[in-house]
Amino acid sequence: MNPALLMWRAASFLVAAGFVGLWQLVANLKLVSPVFLPGPDRAWASLVRGFTSGDLLAKTIGTLEHMAYGWLLASIVGIALGAMIGSSKAMRSYVAPSLEFLRPLPVSAIIPVAIALFGLTQGMALFVIAFGAIWPMLLATVHGFAAVEPRLYEVARSLHMSRLAVIFKIALPSASPDIISGMRLSLTVALILAVVCEILAGLDGLGYWVLLSARAFRSADLFAGVILLGAIGYVTAQAMSMVEQRLLRWRTSGH
Amino acid sequence: MILSATARPHPPAAAVSPAKAQIAFSHVTLDLGGKTIIEDVSLDVKPGEFLCIIGASGCGKTTALRLAAGLYQPTSGDVTFDGASMRAPRRDVAIVFQDYGKALLPWRTAAGNVSLALETIGMPASQRPARIDELLHKVGLPNHAGKYPAEMSGGMQQRLQIARCLAQEPKALLMDEPFGALDAMTRQGLQDEVLELVAASGATVIFVTHDLEEAIYLGDRVIGLLPHPGRIGIELTIDLPRPRDQLTTREQPEFLRLRRELFDFIKASEA
């Protein structure tokens, strides 16, 4: 790592540390009642306690599961559907208006529908998370497939490549930058909706834990939960960026 | 000049016996979007022949090549390869596109791009590395197997596309202004390499170019198209000795005479 980059890193850590320090200061001076705002020290203690003796690990896994299942379902359906729509001009013109109607629909609006259909169940959560997370991937895949260089299809024709080979060797890799950035966006949506569903349906996970802690005025536990959710968002996004860099090495290499 | 051109040594192509032709156009007309692009073109290309097509821009030379490739179907008339109608592209007819940057897979390395053709012809994975090595060596890219197209110069990318085409083991190579986007020195180097590769493989070549000297330097025969609609306007047999040399061939009086004749033809066709 070069010195300039190292300095930027150090500076950004300092800023973060400054925020935590400020938070501690506010808590120590009791500018906000400790019932509502614990200091970072108490939040951290609660976090440690939750993991060593409590069930915070189980809650974290619960939230990760909701998020992952919904996101995976959305990925599979979104990419498959996007590939179908994107690779055919006719399909695009038939389906595009419906997509344009569904896409801006706030997902929170379909939660009551999902509850009516599935009840307060895991199935409801899966449906809502997948429905919300599918859009970035679906639209990115449609765009990616529609934007494949026509010349490459001619290369495929002159080589007599099979339909399947064209999809897996040409269209998918060509659309992969779009698809992966769609998947990264969806990851955040999936986390948000996982928390919302847990809160609404009382499903086992950090969302419900945060809600219960707030109701019981256990502010340290509440903050521990929020910190954990933030960490999940950060770590999953970082992991996705790493996958992206690895898969798309061909895009960054070059002169 | 133009009048004398039609009376030049070889008779019009349509008169050549079609049995001997590998690629044959018979009375081919193509309409695209209500416009006639190619009109009544008859043309025979013998096996192993190197045919160059020249013409002013918009004369339909690329369209003619795409017809030969089976990427377009004629509105009337027929294009045949070894006697069979070209209803679709064939694996043994390879196409070298001008825009190499678009015709290569940017997410695959040089080796991966050559491999695409080998995978498609069904070569077992165990045999591919040796063949890829051989092909990259042939086109002068022996040490670039692991590079992505974006890491290669234009000349190298075009070499790579040629390697992929050779991997198809083609009976015919159709080249659409393959060196049009390259600088003069790179172009001359590639001209000689293509001549060597073609001589070694015995493939038939149709080579479209707007560079008259390139056409004369490479070809056994040069056909000039007239624009609007595209039709054959001149046909010259090139009797320059082979192997050709960038300096001596281009200095021969016959070369200069042919160049003059094509130049006059282009000028008249644009008038």
Side-chain angles (χ1 to χ4, degrees):
Chain A
M1 202 184 292
N2 64 52
L5 193 65
L6 209 63
M7 226 184 69
W8 282 112
R9 280 276 156 81
S12 69
F13 272 115
L14 273 178
V15 170
F19 278 125
V20 175
L22 195 67
W23 174 15
Q24 185 74 62
L25 197 70
V26 170
N28 286 350
L29 293 174
K30 296 204 172 33
L31 293 175
V32 180
S33 160
V35 178
F36 302 115
L37 184 76
D41 50 345
R42 281 175 57 210
W44 179 254
S46 164
L47 204 58
V48 173
R49 199 172 53 244
F51 269 108
T52 49
S53 53
D55 50 1
L56 210 47
L57 183 66
K59 307 288 178 206
T60 308
I61 291 173
T63 297
L64 282 174
E65 274 181 356
H66 291 143
M67 186 181 162
Y69 290 151
W71 181 70
L72 281 178
L73 180 65
S75 302
I76 294 166
V77 178
I79 294 169
L81 220 58
M84 260 162 53
I85 298 167
S87 52
S88 146
K89 211 171 188 168
M91 273 286 268
R92 278 208 299 283
S93 50
Y94 291 143
V95 181
S98 316
L99 291 186
E100 286 309 311
F101 173 74
L102 283 172
R103 186 177 56 97
L105 194 68
V107 187
S108 40
I110 70 130
I111 292 180
V113 180
I115 291 177
L117 284 176
F118 298 95
L120 295 171
T121 59
Q122 302 283 357
M124 182 278 291
L126 187 66
F127 176 80
V128 170
I129 297 168
F131 185 87
I134 201 169
W135 298 107
M137 277 182 278
L138 180 64
L139 297 174
T141 309
V142 169
H143 177 260
F145 268 74
V148 174
E149 171 57 49
R151 185 67 84 224
L152 290 179
Y153 285 135
E154 289 183 352
V155 169
R157 277 177 72 196
S158 82
L159 283 169
H160 283 215
M161 286 171 73
S162 67
R163 225 184 124 65
L164 218 60
V166 172
I167 290 174
F168 282 101
K169 290 180 181 172
I170 290 184
L172 258 182
S174 167
S176 63
D178 287 313
I179 294 174
I180 291 174
S181 71
M183 288 174 88
R184 190 153 38 82
L185 287 174
S186 295
L187 211 51
T188 317
V189 178
L191 177 59
I192 294 169
L193 290 174
V195 171
V196 170
C197 286
E198 284 163 13
I199 288 177
L200 280 177
L203 301 174
D204 216 20
L206 285 174
Y208 194 49
W209 155 274
V210 165
L211 182 73
L212 288 185
S213 303
R215 283 186 180 159
F217 295 101
R218 296 196 315 259
S219 61
D221 290 352
L222 166 66
F223 272 72
V226 171
I227 290 170
L228 260 182
L229 284 171
I232 290 175
Y234 179 77
V235 170
T236 48
Q238 285 295 313
M240 196 66 212
S241 293
M242 268 166 63
V243 170
E244 188 171 7
Q245 255 172 31
R246 207 173 156 67
L247 283 179
L248 303 182
R249 204 160 56 88
W250 55 273
R251 285 188 103 203
T252 45
S253 59
H255 36 203
Chain B
M1 270 299 185
I2 293 164
L3 285 179
S4 72
T6 49
R8 287 242 74 88
H10 278 239
V16 178
S17 148
K20 283 200 298 187
Q22 182 161 57
I23 303 168
F25 283 56
S26 69
H27 303 289
V28 170
T29 295
L30 176 73
D31 301 333
L32 280 180
K35 251 181 82 178
T36 303
I37 311 291
I38 296 277
E39 190 174 66
D40 196 29
V41 166
S42 291
L43 169 68
D44 284 2
V45 190
K46 292 185 285 297
E49 186 178 4
F50 200 123
L51 174 77
C52 293
I53 301 179
I54 56 135
S57 30
C59 72
K61 46 192 194 295
T62 290
T63 309
L65 194 81
R66 292 174 69 85
L67 279 162
L71 289 169
Y72 287 152
Q73 292 301 316
T75 310
S76 66
D78 199 13
V79 178
T80 58
F81 187 89
D82 282 344
S85 273
M86 280 298 262
R87 289 272 161 264
R90 298 167 56 117
R91 219 178 253 166
D92 53 4
V93 177
I95 311 160
V96 179
F97 294 100
Q98 176 182 11
D99 40 11
Y100 41 78
K102 291 179 178 174
L104 294 169
L105 309 183
W107 55 86
R108 285 193 181 213
T109 58
N113 268 285
V114 176
S115 177
L116 181 77
L118 299 177
E119 290 158 26
T120 315
I121 62 174
M123 178 180 277
S126 57
Q127 296 173 23
R128 280 179 223 149
R131 180 78 177 127
I132 290 169
D133 214 43
E134 183 192 339
L135 286 163
L136 288 178
H137 214 277
K138 230 182 214 176
V139 298
L141 297 172
N143 300 317
H144 303 283
K147 280 193 182 160
Y148 289 100
E151 298 173 291
M152 306 168 87
S153 68
M156 288 161 78
Q157 290 185 42
Q158 193 55 289
R159 284 193 170 94
L160 178 56
Q161 199 193 169
I162 292 170
R164 186 177 66 198
C165 285
L166 293 177
Q168 293 175 242
E169 291 179 15
K171 286 190 204 162
L173 268 174
L174 307 179
M175 309 180 88
D176 183 14
E177 299 197 37
F179 311 142
L182 303 174
D183 64 85
M185 285 310 287
T186 309
R187 190 184 312 177
Q188 293 199 344
L190 273 168
Q191 285 167 356
D192 290 333
E193 281 171 38
V194 160
L195 283 180
E196 269 174 49
L197 289 170
V198 166
S201 71
T204 310
V205 180
I206 300 183
F207 190 107
V208 166
T209 178
H210 61 260
D211 179 342
L212 307 182
E213 293 193 29
E214 182 172 73
I216 301 165
Y217 183 74
L218 294 172
D220 294 317
R221 187 153 57 111
V222 177
I223 279 179
L225 296 186
L226 288 167
H228 313 298
R231 59 210 187 274
I232 295 178
I234 191 173
E235 184 176 351
L236 298 178
T237 299
I238 314 295
D239 278 327
L240 296 165
R242 290 186 187 270
R244 292 185 182 160
D245 179 273
Q246 290 290 353
L247 287 177
T248 56
T249 300
R250 287 172 192 266
E251 282 164 354
Q252 288 186 21
E254 173 69 0
F255 186 95
L256 299 174
R257 190 189 63 74
L258 289 163
R259 190 182 73 159
R260 178 60 185 260
E261 198 163 340
L262 286 178
F263 186 85
D264 287 340
F265 163 76
I266 292 287
K267 226 174 148 191
S269 80
E270 279 174 336

